[in-house]
């Protein structure tokens, strides 16, 4: 039996679902744009940034938070597309997927590829609008960022998939907002550089440095300037592997939490 | 035997759902009758390997579900109780998606989709969005879909829930027709009027089978409904 038709079909289905949910696309764009155009404008005056790699000149705060906001798009999408599985309506389609005679790791990977590509399309839409407001990056950076965005999308999608298999009931999205998305986003280098964080609290700095989202953001940040941050790549790969393994474990029919939802 | 199950037990924590269930099915229409909560959905989840039970042996079309899950699943078609169609896609797009999950695409998939839709009298609705279809046609779409990979064993979990009498009768007839063509059908229900005297009948009650035989013989002169109420003490039938 051929494996490739399932991959293309799953990716195409994610894309179609996305096209049908225009409000989701708008929300995904408005969210980082509000941060960029409102929050960052206000913060620019308050926060001075010294020159640290990958930046070679003094940069504005808006420029600093662009990679973090790319990460935010991936974070929200990764959680949203995977956690929609928790709802019953989506559980039906998951059942359909899992009764296909293909290895589960392949089916889950196909789902991750699909949701990551959708997220990346949104990231580029965001970057385009940011550019229209004058916040531009080196041209090659837009290309170099693609693999970084893909890996970060995988990492966050795998986390969402793992969570969707362990969380029995989810009344709404708020629980995940409060306990996963907000801590991951705020305790990272998305909004403030780690050295700045260290000035106020060593503990906060250490938490941020251990947060996989920080490394995903740094990977994207360096890639946007055509550079490879090896340490960030290593940590992001490690986290992707761990989250992926947790997702596979969660959807294993012998041990998984599917059992709690007959 | 195209479906054989032995020694199947399952518990949700301390709550036992199935107690050492064993049965075999040959190509025919078999009805799995049981009141709500009897263990039907648990049995289906185990047969479709959504989860597994240690110590049990399940064989589908000669393939051990534990040892060779992909071959076993390839011979199995499932219509879940919950609808699993994508409402924003057309009937045809839904079928194409499913075909791809079974490794089918291109002209082969197209040909099978046409044949399955014709069989269920759904050909003219192929390009309608599922959201626009009524409950009966949605179910028919799901049954057409499950025929695409030509499964030997077909499982249907209360497929007529929420449908009007005419749609229920049409779907019951369609599936009886599939069984007559040589498919092994297991039809879970809590409605006795969907079962005819010549069907193979399994009655599941409190996680155990309390009847296994030809429906007419099991009822033994009484109406199946009366018999079912008497043995299960249930008024849902």
């Amino acid at each position: 039996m051929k494996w490739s038709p399932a991959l293309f079909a799953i990716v195409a289905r994610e894309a179609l679902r996305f096209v049908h949910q225009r409000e989701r696309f708008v929300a995904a764009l408005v969210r980082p744009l509000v941060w960029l155009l409102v929050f960052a404008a206000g913060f620019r005056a308050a926060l001075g940034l010294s020159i640290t790699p990958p930046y070679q000149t003094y940069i504005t705060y808006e420029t600093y938070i662009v990679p973090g906001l790319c990460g935010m798009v991936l974070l929200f999408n990764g959680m949203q597309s995977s956690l929609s599985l928790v709802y019953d309506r989506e559980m039906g389609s998951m059942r359909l997927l899992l009764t296909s005679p293909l290895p589960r790791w392949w089916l889950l990977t196909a789902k991750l590829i699909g949701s990551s590509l959708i997220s990346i399309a949104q990231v580029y839409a965001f970057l385009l609008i940011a550019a229209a407001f004058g916040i531009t990056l080196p041209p090659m950076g837009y290309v170099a960022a693609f693999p970084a965005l893909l890996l970060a999308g995988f990492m966050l999608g795998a986390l969402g998939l793992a969570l969707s298999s362990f969380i029995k009931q989810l009344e709404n999205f708020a629980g995940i907002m409060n306990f996963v998305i907000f801590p991951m986003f705020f305790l990272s280098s998305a909004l403030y550089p780690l050295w700045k964080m260290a000035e106020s609290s060593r503990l906060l700095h250490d938490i941020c440095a251990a947060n996989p989202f920080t490394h995903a953001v740094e990977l994207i940040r360096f890639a946007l300037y055509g550079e490879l941050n090896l340490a960030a790549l290593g940590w992001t790969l490690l986290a992707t592997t761990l989250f992926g393994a947790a997702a596979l474990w969660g959807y294993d029919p012998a041990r998984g939490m599917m059992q709690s939802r007959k | 035997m195209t479906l054989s199950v032995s020694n199947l037990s399952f518990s949700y924590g301390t709550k036992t759902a199935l107690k050492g269930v064993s049965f075999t099915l040959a190509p025919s229409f078999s009805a799995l009758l049981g009141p709500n909560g009897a263990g039907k959905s648990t049995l289906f989840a185990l047969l479709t390997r959504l989860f597994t039970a240690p110590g049990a042996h399940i064989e589908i079309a000669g393939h051990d579900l534990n040892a060779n899950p992909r071959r076993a699943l390839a011979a199995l078609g499932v219509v879940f109780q919950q609808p699993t169609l994508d409402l924003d896609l057309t009937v045809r797009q839904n079928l194409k998606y499913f075909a791809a999950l079974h490794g089918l695409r291109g002209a082969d998939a197209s040909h099978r989709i046409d044949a399955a839709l014709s069989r269920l009298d759904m050909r003219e609705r192929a390009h309608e969005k599922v959201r626009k279809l009524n409950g009966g046609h949605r179910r028919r779409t799901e049954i057409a879909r499950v025929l695409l990979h030509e499964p030997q064993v077909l499982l249907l979990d209360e497929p007529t829930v929420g449908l009007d009498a005419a749609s229920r009768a049409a779907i019951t007839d369609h599936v009886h027709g599939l069984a007559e063509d040589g498919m092994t059908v297991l039809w879970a229900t809590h409605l006795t009027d969907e079962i005819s005297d010549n069907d193979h009948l399994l009655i599941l009650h409190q996680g155990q089978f309390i009847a296994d035989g030809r429906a007419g013989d099991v009822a033994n002169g009484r109406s199946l409904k009366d018999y079912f109420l008497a043995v299960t003490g249930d008024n849902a039938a």
Side-chain angles (χ1 to χ4, degrees), chain B residues 93-232:
Chain B
Q93 284 173 323
N94 267 288
L95 267 61
K96 267 179 85 169
Y97 173 68
F98 182 84
L101 290 183
H102 284 260
L104 304 166
R105 67 172 160 197
D108 182 26
S110 244
H111 178 73
R112 289 170 187 244
I113 289 170
D114 289 339
L117 287 176
S118 299
R119 165 131 215 178
L120 274 294
D121 301 328
M122 285 291 293
R123 188 91 181 253
E124 70 280 10
R125 298 189 182 270
H127 297 288
E128 285 183 30
K129 280 199 176 177
V130 172
R131 196 179 288 284
K132 289 191 181 151
L133 300 182
N134 66 31
H137 285 126
R138 289 184 189 185
R139 269 304 184 207
R140 272 203 236 173
T141 304
E142 288 193 293
I143 295 171
R145 182 176 65 178
V146 83
L147 302 179
L148 293 178
H149 61 297
E150 295 170 356
Q152 292 181 54
V153 179
L154 187 56
L155 306 178
L156 303 104
D157 190 3
E158 307 204 8
T160 57
V161 164
L163 301 184
D164 61 44
S167 302
R168 275 180 57 204
I171 285 176
T172 314
D173 287 348
H174 270 301
V175 176
H176 271 93
L178 295 172
E180 280 160 22
D181 291 350
M183 210 178 257
T184 301
V185 174
L186 183 62
W187 173 285
T189 184
H190 61 272
L191 302 166
T192 50
D193 63 354
E194 292 176 355
I195 301 163
S196 59
D197 277 355
N198 282 324
D199 293 337
H200 175 207
L201 174 66
L202 291 154
I203 299 182
L204 189 63
H205 185 47
Q206 294 175 348
Q208 285 174 307
F209 283 126
I210 54 171
D212 181 353
R214 191 182 154 272
D217 299 340
V218 170
N220 198 18
R222 281 196 278 180
S223 83
L224 186 56
K225 183 177 178 180
D226 292 342
Y227 172 79
F228 181 55
L229 286 173
V231 293
T232 60

Side-chain angles (χ1 to χ4, degrees), chain A residues 1 92 100 104 253-254 259 262, chain B residues 12 49 51-52 84 101-102:
Chain A
M1 172 174 166
S100 151
R104 281 201 180 179
Q259 293 191 5
K262 56 173 176 166
Chain B
Y12 296 99
R49 203 169 170 265
F51 37 88
T52 56
T84 56
L101 290 183
H102 284 260

Side-chain angles (χ1 to χ4, degrees), chain A residues 49-73:
Chain A
L49 293 172
S50 63
I51 299 169
T52 49
Y55 306 110
Q56 283 162 14
T57 57
Y58 175 77
I59 51 154
T60 61
Y61 185 61
E62 281 101 326
T63 306
Y64 178 80
I65 66 168
V66 163
L69 296 178
C70 292
M72 178 196 238
V73 173

Side-chain angles (χ1 to χ4, degrees), chain A residues 1-6 8-9 13 16 20 88 92 95-97 99-104 253-254 259 262, chain B residues 10 12 42 48-52 70 73-74 80 82 84 86 88-89 93 97-98 100-103 105 129 145:
Chain A
M1 172 174 166
K2 285 188 232 136
W3 291 17
S4 56
F8 293 122
R13 184 175 182 272
L16 273 175
H20 290 139
D88 274 350
R95 284 184 169 200
L96 195 70
L97 196 66
T99 48
S100 151
L102 285 167
R104 281 201 180 179
Q259 293 191 5
K262 56 173 176 166
Chain B
F10 196 80
Y12 296 99
T42 303
T48 52
R49 203 169 170 265
L50 286 176
F51 37 88
T52 56
R70 284 163 49 201
L73 288 175
F80 291 106
Q82 280 169 320
T84 56
D86 195 323
D88 292 317
L89 301 186
Q93 284 173 323
Y97 173 68
F98 182 84
L101 290 183
H102 284 260
R105 67 172 160 197
K129 280 199 176 177
R145 182 176 65 178

Side-chain angles (χ1 to χ4, degrees), chain A residues 32-52 55 57-70 72 126 130 133-137 185-197 217-218 221 224-225:
Chain A
L33 284 172
V34 165
W35 281 88
L36 185 66
L37 303 175
V38 181
F39 178 83
F43 245 59
R44 176 159 53 172
L47 200 75
L49 293 172
S50 63
I51 299 169
T52 49
Y55 306 110
T57 57
Y58 175 77
I59 51 154
T60 61
Y61 185 61
E62 281 101 326
T63 306
Y64 178 80
I65 66 168
V66 163
L69 296 178
C70 292
M72 178 196 238
F126 162 69
F133 281 95
I135 303 158
T136 53
L137 300 155
F185 183 65
F186 289 116
L187 292 171
S188 78
S189 60
L191 296 180
Y192 0 81
L194 287 192
W195 61 262
K196 197 88 189 167
M197 196 69 113
V217 169
E218 290 311 304
R221 187 188 308 284
L224 282 170
Y225 291 87

